[in-house]
């Protein structure tokens, strides 16, 4: 392999002479470096931080304003500029629980009487209005006042006609004296309940409001409750049922078809006293609407095991008039 070529050396020894041009450049460089390395005189410190803000309250209205010729001057106040914390802290006062005996046997006031009237009336009507949204109200319902009227009537006049009607599940109103006695008993019970509620709630106004709401709920339920039939209505219904059974045995047959209007017309021809729906002008006639005769036909069909089927247009399939009468 060929050897690498060697470059010629240059002599940088101290014995080499410097040119005047280089000497001048070196002298100027040393003077500049010395000027920068000399100590500087102390400079005064100048802060760049902004001066602190100073707030001063200036009254824009030094004089009191005048409205309608009257100078409005504020009341003098001696409220301190700085509030000092109290040296001794006071302990919180705990209200003791009221004594039950003191509340129950306290003197009766006007608010107590008002609360007793509403709470007693609500007790008389019963709690059915609370059970109605859940569908737990039966046909007879929970009616403490209605039940107590029967008890008082049994003790006072056990042979009264209204008691016999109630035993047969018929509509009957109790005498006024019995109703007043029962209402008075519930008002007295309402006073006791009002005192117990006052012990629990400690607010007489809330107790009165609860009694008013209970009276409204119980009263509305009594209005919409289905009424019981009277003795006259029950006897008339039983008579119509017997008459329709006799008519059906003679004029209705299984099989075929007929319209509901045909049954109504045949029933009116069978019983002349029901010839028309309105028989008020007749001496011996009785008014009977077509809807009641149609209800009698549906009830008879159910009692006979449903031999017929009624359509939405009023036709009966499986029931026809005897002899093909239409």
């Amino acid at each position: 392999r060929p050897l690498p070529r060697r470059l010629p050396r240059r002599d940088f020894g101290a014995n080499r002479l410097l040119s005047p041009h280089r000497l001048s450049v070196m002298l100027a460089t040393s003077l500049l470096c010395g000027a920068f390395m000399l100590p500087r005189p102390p400079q005064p410190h100048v802060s760049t931080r902004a001066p602190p803000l100073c707030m001063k309250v200036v009254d824009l209205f030094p004089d009191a304003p005048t409205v309608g010729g009257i100078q409005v001057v504020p009341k003098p106040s001696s409220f301190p500029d700085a509030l000092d914390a109290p040296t001794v802290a006071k302990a919180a006062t705990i209200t003791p629980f009221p004594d039950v005996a003191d509340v129950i046997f306290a003197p009766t006031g006007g608010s107590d009487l008002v609360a007793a009237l509403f709470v007693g009336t609500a007790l008389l009507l019963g709690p059915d209005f609370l059970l109605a949204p859940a569908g737990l109200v039966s046909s007879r319902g929970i009616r403490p006042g209605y039940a107590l009227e029967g008890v008082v009537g049994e003790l006072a006049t056990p042979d009264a006609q209204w008691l016999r009607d109630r035993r047969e599940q018929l509509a009957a109103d109790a005498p006024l004296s019995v109703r007043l006695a029962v209402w008075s008993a519930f008002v007295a019970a309402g006073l006791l309940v009002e005192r117990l509620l006052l012990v629990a709630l400690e607010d007489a106004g809330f107790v009165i409001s609860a009694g008013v709401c209970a009276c409204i709920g119980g009263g509305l339920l009594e209005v919409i409750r289905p009424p019981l039939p009277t003795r006259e209505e029950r006897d008339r219904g039983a008579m119509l049922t017997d008459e329709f059974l006799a008519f059906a045995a003679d004029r209705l047959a299984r099989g075929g078809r007929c319209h509901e209007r045909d049954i109504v017309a045949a029933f009116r021809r069978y019983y002349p006293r029901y010839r028309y729906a309105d028989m008020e002008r007749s001496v011996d006639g009785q008014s009977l609407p077509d809807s009641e005769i149609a209800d009698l036909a549906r009830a008879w069909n159910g009692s006979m095991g449903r031999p017929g089927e009624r359509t939405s247009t009023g036709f009966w399939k499986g029931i026809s008039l005897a002899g093909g009468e239409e």
Side-chain angles (χ1 to χ4, degrees):
R1 300 177 61 182
L3 295 175
R5 183 180 179 183
R6 296 183 179 181
L7 298 176
R9 290 187 176 182
R10 292 185 178 183
D11 188 7
F12 294 97
N15 56 356
R16 187 176 179 182
L17 297 177
L18 298 176
S19 63
H21 176 68
R22 290 185 178 182
L23 289 175
S24 61
V25 172
M26 293 177 63
L27 181 60
T29 304
S30 61
L31 290 176
L32 290 174
C33 291
F36 281 105
M37 295 179 64
L38 291 177
R40 297 181 178 180
Q43 299 292 333
H45 176 71
V46 179
S47 176
T48 59
R49 185 179 300 176
L53 298 178
C54 180
M55 184 177 63
K56 181 179 181 181
V57 179
V58 178
D59 189 1
L60 300 179
F61 303 97
D63 299 331
T66 302
V67 179
I70 301 176
Q71 192 175 16
V72 180
V73 180
K75 295 181 179 180
S77 175
S78 59
F79 195 81
D81 296 335
L83 297 179
D84 298 333
T87 56
V88 179
K90 295 182 179 180
T93 303
I94 301 176
T95 304
F97 192 78
D99 189 11
V100 178
D102 294 342
V103 175
I104 293 177
F105 299 104
T108 304
S111 60
D112 296 328
L113 294 178
V114 174
L117 291 177
F118 286 110
V119 174
T121 305
L123 294 176
L124 184 143
L125 294 174
D128 282 346
F129 73 99
L130 297 175
L131 305 176
L136 302 178
V137 180
S138 60
S139 57
R140 300 183 63 180
I142 303 175
R143 306 165 70 185
Y146 187 85
L148 188 58
E149 288 177 357
V151 174
V152 174
E154 291 286 350
L155 296 176
T157 56
D159 297 331
Q161 180 62 37
W162 66 276
L163 284 176
R164 290 198 295 268
D165 292 342
R166 288 196 176 185
R167 296 190 194 103
E168 299 177 14
Q169 301 300 321
L170 298 175
D173 294 332
L176 183 60
S177 58
V178 175
R179 300 172 72 177
L180 286 177
V182 171
W183 184 73
S184 301
F186 274 98
V187 170
L191 180 60
L192 177 60
V193 174
E194 182 265 340
R195 294 297 175 86
L196 295 177
L197 291 176
L198 194 60
V199 171
L201 303 176
E202 300 183 6
D203 189 353
F206 187 82
V207 175
I208 295 176
S209 301
V212 172
C213 294
C215 289
I216 294 175
L220 290 177
L221 186 62
E222 289 296 327
V223 170
I224 65 176
R225 191 189 298 272
L228 295 173
T230 61
R231 183 174 293 275
E232 291 77 11
E233 293 174 351
R234 187 199 63 176
D235 295 342
R236 182 173 179 270
M239 182 186 66
L240 288 174
T241 301
D242 295 339
E243 290 178 348
F244 193 87
L245 289 176
F247 161 77
D250 190 21
R251 305 298 294 273
L252 293 182
R254 299 194 179 200
R257 58 179 295 176
C258 65
H259 199 274
E260 194 172 68
R261 292 192 302 266
D262 301 332
I263 299 177
V264 173
F267 182 82
R268 293 191 184 280
R269 287 193 298 269
Y270 195 81
Y271 294 104
R273 62 176 175 273
Y274 305 126
R275 175 68 64 179
Y276 303 104
D278 188 4
M279 298 288 288
E280 292 183 357
R281 298 181 181 180
S282 176
V283 178
D284 55 350
Q286 297 182 14
S287 300
L288 183 64
D290 294 345
S291 59
E292 290 193 21
I293 302 177
D295 293 339
L296 291 173
R298 297 190 189 96
W300 172 84
N301 182 62
S303 63
M304 298 300 292
R306 301 188 180 279
E309 181 181 357
R310 185 182 182 276
T311 63
S312 59
T313 57
F315 281 96
W316 281 98
K317 296 180 180 180
I319 299 176
S320 61
L321 293 175
E325 182 184 359
E326 293 183 0

